[in-house]
Amino acid sequence: MARTATNGSAKETTVADLSDQIETLRKDLSDLTGTISDLGKSKRANLTDAAAHKIEAAREKSIHAAEAVTSRAKDAHEHANDFVKAQPATALGIAAGLGFLVGMMNARR
């Protein structure tokens, strides 16, 4: 049988002692497994929160970018309208020339 040292003297270990130690090891192993599982779940939750934060930040950036593009498009539209009002003959000539070029490119296909 196994021997353990207690206070410097040798003592023979009984089957009951071994059973108790095995049961203690099983409980400790079960507690350790639960702790590791909880740690993994908390890390996944943190990653999920971090991912959600990054998604929200990306969404906000895309909203700001869309607003900037919309603002530039409105400015370009206003500029084009002002140009057409200021120089209608030039605008008509440019439009006719572009129409002719687009028609020529489509006719070649």
Side-chain angles (χ1 to χ4, degrees), residues 46-89:
N46 288 343
L47 288 177
T48 303
D49 290 343
H53 179 64
K54 288 181 180 179
I55 289 171
E56 185 61 31
R59 187 174 291 141
E60 288 177 12
K61 285 182 181 180
S62 67
I63 288 171
H64 290 300
E67 288 173 353
V69 168
T70 302
S71 175
R72 283 187 173 184
K74 285 181 182 179
D75 289 343
H77 183 259
E78 289 175 10
H79 182 72
N81 280 341
D82 292 342
F83 180 78
V84 169
K85 287 179 184 176
Q87 300 179 3

Side-chain angles (χ1 to χ4, degrees), residues 14-83:
T14 64
V15 173
D17 291 338
L18 288 175
S19 295
D20 289 342
Q21 288 179 5
I22 289 172
E23 188 59 36
T24 301
L25 287 172
R26 282 183 184 160
K27 183 182 176 297
D28 290 346
L29 186 57
S30 174
D31 291 344
L32 182 60
T33 302
T35 301
I36 290 172
S37 175
D38 292 343
L39 179 64
K41 287 178 184 175
S42 72
K43 285 195 175 208
R44 273 183 268 160
N46 288 343
L47 288 177
T48 303
D49 290 343
H53 179 64
K54 288 181 180 179
I55 289 171
E56 185 61 31
R59 187 174 291 141
E60 288 177 12
K61 285 182 181 180
S62 67
I63 288 171
H64 290 300
E67 288 173 353
V69 168
T70 302
S71 175
R72 283 187 173 184
K74 285 181 182 179
D75 289 343
H77 183 259
E78 289 175 10
H79 182 72
N81 280 341
D82 292 342
F83 180 78

